[in-house]
């Protein structure tokens, strides 16, 4: 299985994970500061900024795009409960 590196800038920690893992799952395991409320892509509390490797995440779903738009999120913002890592990236809580 392909691996990818993700760096959580808020705690300055980089981990190797299997490609396809949702970022919220990694954040929970290592104690990063990405908070969440629902895990369904509906509330927007797990919004994060992707500072590097934006193209190394899965494409946003229609629901995720709607929530990001409603929250006036910038181009490099994603929901950690929806974004799956495909390659190396760096993130921080929004």
């Amino acid at each position: 299985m392909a691996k990818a590196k993700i760096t959580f800038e808020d705690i300055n920690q980089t981990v190797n994970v299997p490609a396809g893992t949702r970022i919220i799952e990694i954040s929970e395991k290592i104690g990063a500061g990405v908070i969440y409320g629902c895990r369904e892509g509906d509330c927007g509390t797990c919004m994060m900024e992707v500072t590097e490797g934006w193209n190394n995440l899965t494409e946003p779903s229609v629901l995720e795009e709607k929530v990001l738009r409603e929250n006036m999120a910038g181009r490099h913002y994603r929901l950690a409960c929806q974004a799956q890592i495909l390659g190396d990236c760096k993130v921080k809580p929004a």
Side-chain angles (χ1 to χ4, degrees), residues 6-78:
I6 182 168
T7 300
F8 290 87
E9 292 184 337
D10 60 318
I11 61 171
N12 196 31
Q13 186 169 351
T14 301
V15 293
N16 291 312
V17 299
T21 305
R22 292 189 188 276
I23 292 178
I24 195 70
E25 295 168 9
I26 306 160
S27 176
E28 285 178 316
K29 286 182 182 175
I30 67 168
V34 178
I35 59 169
Y36 63 94
C38 70
R39 295 183 69 112
E40 300 295 326
D42 204 14
C43 69
T45 58
C46 66
M47 192 179 308
M48 63 181 180
E49 181 179 2
V50 183
T51 57
E52 285 184 32
W54 168 260
N55 294 325
N56 292 330
L57 299 175
T58 53
E59 292 292 320
S61 67
V62 172
L63 176 60
E64 181 181 4
E65 286 181 339
K66 177 182 177 279
V67 171
L68 292 170
R69 199 170 38 252
E70 288 172 351
N71 286 282
M72 295 181 280
R75 180 173 176 226
H76 295 286
Y77 284 76
R78 294 291 306 272

